[in-house]
Amino acid sequence: MNNRLVGYHAGTSFLHRLSGASKLLFLLLVSLAAMLSYDTRLLLVIGLGALALFATSGIRLKDISFVLSFALVFALLNVLMVYLFAPQYGVEIYGAKTVLLDGLGAYSITAQELFYLFNLALKYVCTIPLALIFLMTTHPSQFASSLNQIGVSYKIAYSVSLTLRYIPDVQEEYQIIKLSQEARGLELSKKANFVQRVKGNLQMISPLIFSSLERIETISTAMELRRFGKNKKRTWYTYQEMTTRDRLIILGSIFMVILSIVLIWVNKGRFYNPWR
């Protein structure tokens, strides 16, 4: 399997058997709870829970190695940029200054800044595994029917289903274009320097956009020929009733949002301050 492709992978885990709608609500609400609060205790609970769910999902690391690498680089760059542009922001937030490494002027390393950057990195741990779980354990058609089940228009639900369905196709199209360009002599491997690789990847954007537009036109024509949208309701080939475990998952995610709001009130702000 191409480890660059991220999309639905069939499986028999507990997460695969959940309704697509409950998984989406869980992703959105838990991510909202993680984004609202900077309480380290809550972020650790969500992060460890997300990693535990990822471990039970049956997703192999080699299948998502490219995405994980990209997310890790992006997270590290974000943390680095925050430190470079606001090296004393943690000191302002927590109202204390514990210097760990002096002699660097404004860039002196403090415990408060490291604590803030740690919380910032934790947010990625809370959200990225959940997003990957949703993408790789949710069948697009089943997810669309679940959305329609909770009251979302079937037109919107089908649009979301198409988006999920063609994420792997677009990625595969990118790989095909890349191999074609390399066959024509364009060096895109690690042998080329960074600037050459960036220019080479930019050259692939145009054919990727045109192939995607052609795919959209084909799908639109096929849907028009089948009179899509004529009726107010439609049936679904893949349909799954909401079960007790789905309702428990939704209630758990609502509880996390409420807990996040309560902690903001208890901490008198979004930040948990151990120096207070």
Side-chain angles (χ1 to χ4, degrees):
M1 180 180 295
N2 192 338
N3 62 4
R4 292 175 178 268
L5 302 184
V6 176
Y8 174 70
H9 286 56
T12 58
S13 69
F14 161 75
L15 293 166
H16 283 84
R17 295 193 296 271
L18 288 174
S19 166
S22 64
K23 282 185 280 190
L24 176 64
L25 289 173
F26 184 81
L27 169 64
L28 295 178
L29 292 176
V30 174
S31 297
L32 175 63
M35 291 300 106
L36 283 176
S37 176
Y38 273 88
D39 192 300
T40 312
R41 299 163 295 183
L42 176 65
L43 294 177
L44 282 173
V45 169
I46 295 176
L48 292 174
L51 293 176
L53 288 174
F54 186 84
T56 62
S57 66
I59 301 171
R60 298 179 301 178
L61 288 176
K62 67 178 184 179
D63 293 336
I64 55 171
S65 60
F66 176 75
V67 175
L68 282 181
S69 300
F70 180 82
L72 179 61
V73 171
F74 180 81
L76 290 176
L77 283 175
N78 185 40
V79 171
L80 179 61
M81 289 299 105
V82 170
Y83 173 71
L84 290 177
F85 286 99
Q88 300 300 318
Y89 188 51
V91 175
E92 298 176 15
I93 292 172
Y94 301 111
K97 187 173 184 179
T98 307
V99 179
L100 300 178
L101 183 60
D102 204 355
L104 300 176
Y107 291 96
S108 296
I109 298 176
T110 63
Q112 289 75 21
E113 182 69 13
L114 290 180
F115 187 66
Y116 168 71
L117 295 178
F118 174 71
N119 288 326
L120 190 63
L122 266 182
K123 290 179 179 289
Y124 289 98
V125 179
C126 294
T127 54
I128 292 175
L130 295 180
L132 290 174
I133 288 171
F134 173 74
L135 286 174
M136 302 191 72
T137 64
T138 307
H139 191 282
S141 296
Q142 188 270 323
F143 174 58
S145 65
S146 298
L147 285 179
N148 187 229
Q149 182 183 357
I150 62 175
V152 178
S153 169
Y154 78 86
K155 298 177 183 178
I156 298 176
Y158 199 77
S159 299
V160 176
S161 171
L162 285 176
T163 302
L164 291 176
R165 187 183 300 276
Y166 286 105
I167 286 176
D169 291 344
V170 172
Q171 294 176 89
E172 188 173 4
E173 186 74 23
Y174 170 82
Q175 293 301 317
I176 293 173
I177 295 172
K178 179 180 178 181
L179 292 175
S180 300
Q181 296 285 52
E182 289 178 338
R184 292 178 173 86
L186 184 63
E187 184 60 67
L188 297 172
S189 66
K190 295 181 180 179
K191 296 179 181 179
N193 61 49
F194 178 75
V195 175
Q196 289 177 329
R197 292 170 65 184
V198 170
K199 289 182 178 179
N201 281 280
L202 289 176
Q203 292 179 21
M204 292 189 292
I205 292 178
S206 295
L208 183 62
I209 291 175
F210 284 118
S211 64
S212 299
L213 291 175
E214 184 178 358
R215 191 189 302 273
I216 292 171
E217 184 178 359
T218 302
I219 295 171
S220 300
T221 302
M223 293 173 69
E224 289 177 0
L225 290 174
R226 289 167 175 79
R227 300 174 68 83
F228 180 83
K230 176 180 181 294
N231 300 317
K232 294 183 178 181
K233 295 183 179 180
R234 62 160 290 174
T235 57
W236 299 91
Y237 179 76
T238 305
Y239 183 79
Q240 180 177 343
E241 292 283 351
M242 294 280 281
T243 62
T244 301
R245 60 174 174 247
D246 290 305
R247 297 185 181 93
L248 289 175
I249 288 292
I250 295 173
L251 287 175
S253 60
I254 294 174
F255 172 76
M256 295 304 294
V257 175
I258 295 174
L259 180 59
S260 176
I261 296 172
V262 169
L263 286 174
I264 291 174
W265 177 75
V266 171
N267 296 329
K268 298 179 180 179
R270 298 174 63 197
F271 298 91
Y272 165 67
N273 190 351
W275 288 276
R276 182 177 299 167

